[in-house]
Amino acid sequence: MISRFTTAALAATLSLAASAAMAAAGDYTFEPVNPEMKKGDDVTLVIRLTNKQTGKPVADAVIFKTRVDMAPDGMAEMESAVAPLPSKEPGVYAFKTDLPMAGRYQVTLSAKVQGEAETVTGKVVVKATK
C-alpha cells in the first residue's frame, strides 16, 4: 500500500516538473495598456507582457523587434517608426511612435524572455481617434 502511494506521489511530482519545463513562447501574451488614444506625433504606446499561466507581468524581457502599421484597416504599407521609452513598472513596455491618422494600428513585437528558448511574438491592435 505504501509502495503504491509513493509511486503515485512520484508520478505527480514528475508530471508537475515536466509541465513547468514545457513552458513555451505561446504561454505569453502582449496587451495594450491603453487600447485607444488620440492620433498624432510622438504618441506613447504602452504594452504589457503577461505570462498566461500565472497572470503575472513579465519583467526584464528584451524587446528586439517592433513594428507599427495600419494592417487592420487594410493599409499595412502605412508604417510608423518606433522608439523604445523607459519602463515605469515591471512587465510594461513603452514606445514612442506616430499615429498620423485615425484608425486601427497593429503593433507587432518580438521579445526574448529570460529562461525561454523560443522568441515570444505577438500582435496588438490599438485605435487612434481624432
Side-chain angles (χ1 to χ4, degrees), residues 27-45:
D27 293 335
Y28 302 91
T29 185
F30 290 100
E31 57 191 16
V33 172
N34 299 316
E36 194 169 304
M37 61 209 68
K38 293 222 181 265
K39 71 178 179 101
D41 295 336
D42 294 335
V43 174
T44 300
L45 294 174

Side-chain angles (χ1 to χ4, degrees), residues 28 30 49 58-64 91 93 110-114 120:
Y28 302 91
F30 290 100
L49 177 59
V58 178
D60 301 325
V62 177
I63 309 240
F64 64 90
Y93 303 89
S110 295
K112 285 293 187 183
V113 173
Q114 290 183 1
V120 175

Side-chain angles (χ1 to χ4, degrees), residues 44-128:
T44 300
L45 294 174
V46 183
I47 309 290
R48 180 178 292 113
L49 177 59
T50 307
N51 182 313
K52 291 179 188 178
Q53 294 180 341
T54 65
K56 294 182 180 181
V58 178
D60 301 325
V62 177
I63 309 240
F64 64 90
K65 186 175 179 183
T66 56
R67 176 183 165 99
V68 174
D69 60 45
M70 291 193 77
D73 285 345
M75 295 182 279
E77 67 280 356
M78 291 279 300
E79 183 179 357
S80 293
V82 183
L85 294 172
S87 178
K88 295 184 180 185
E89 64 182 278
V92 175
Y93 303 89
F95 306 92
K96 180 176 72 169
T97 191
D98 295 336
L99 304 178
M101 59 189 289
R104 295 176 298 157
Y105 289 83
Q106 178 173 276
V107 184
T108 306
L109 304 118
S110 295
K112 285 293 187 183
V113 173
Q114 290 183 1
E116 180 59 56
E118 299 175 31
T119 297
V120 175
T121 58
K123 295 181 181 188
V124 174
V125 176
V126 296
K127 184 177 180 183

